[in-house]
Amino acid sequence: MTTDALPVDPDLAALLRAMDPDPRAVHTLLAPRIGPATVDELAAADYGHDLPAHRAALTALLADPDPPTHLEWAPHEVLVLTLGHGLGDVVDLWSGSVLLGAATPYEEPLLRLPAFLRAALSLGGAEPGGAELAAARRFLAWCRLTVPGDWRLTPRDLPYVTFGVLLLSVAGAPVPSADVLRALAAGLVEELDRSVYEGEWIGRAEPPLIGRGPRKPGRAWRDLAARVLVDGPLAGTAVGERLAVLGRTVTRERALPVEDLYGVFLP
């Protein structure tokens, strides 16, 4: 399977480029904040197995100004084991970006994306539009434009990346204009229509993004949609009501055919 299965629509590409996409955005911001004690905790996560190798790999990774394009078993194994499991949002956002941007042994980037998004939203929630959330959005915009690492092997999952960019855009400050948010949501609907279901919209029976297979973290996507699109910072506004339609479709509160979702977001 190649990335030709889901080329970026020119209008969507223009929106993503306007976000100043950068593969280094999260790594540059957060790597200096991860100290030796955290490295030791990460390195020991696999019951202490190969602790010196994991520690050395993590130390080298954090010292490099560029995030990796490829991960070996050390430190990949401990990053996967700890992501979303109690080491804090800063660590989750950083390690999530490493796992999402690199080619890895497990080749399952979609399973890493929800923890990355939750960390970004939590860090941004303390100070809306904070640097961490903005960096996460720039990084995800780069991922969608360039399709790095394991995403090249799973191009049908790329609408989830676009969905992540939309969530971080809604939660950021300053929030993009209503026109930009509508256009971004319309780009997502188009990607779902032409890629996820290959032209056959199953939204009449199942919501978009989730329900396609047992390995997909369906509950995570429902929770994120409810948190940001239904009950998020734009609730009660005109554009927020439109986004809530998509959110309620993802959370299974309602089912809409794709033509109706197009109608919500297209001018």
Side-chain angles (χ1 to χ4, degrees), residues 140-166:
L140 275 193
W142 170 79
C143 284
R144 183 61 195 92
L145 283 170
T146 64
V147 192
D150 294 336
W151 294 108
R152 297 177 183 277
L153 304 176
T154 59
R156 284 164 58 91
D157 291 337
L158 288 170
Y160 290 82
V161 181
T162 306
F163 187 63
V165 174
L166 175 63

Side-chain angles (χ1 to χ4, degrees), residues 47 114 143 158 237 259:
Y47 301 99
C143 284
L158 288 170
T237 67
E259 56 267 22

Side-chain angles (χ1 to χ4, degrees), residues 172-198:
V175 177
S177 70
D179 287 342
V180 167
L181 290 176
R182 285 199 301 267
L184 187 56
L188 170 63
V189 172
E190 182 176 354
E191 284 197 341
L192 291 168
D193 189 24
R194 64 188 172 92
S195 179
V196 173
Y197 301 118
E198 297 180 333

Side-chain angles (χ1 to χ4, degrees), residues 108-150:
E108 293 182 325
L110 182 56
L111 298 183
R112 319 301 169 208
L113 184 53
F116 173 89
L117 291 170
R118 285 193 293 265
L121 292 168
S122 295
L123 289 167
E127 182 181 347
E132 297 93 346
L133 192 150
R137 188 177 72 161
R138 293 175 64 198
F139 171 77
L140 275 193
W142 170 79
C143 284
R144 183 61 195 92
L145 283 170
T146 64
V147 192
D150 294 336

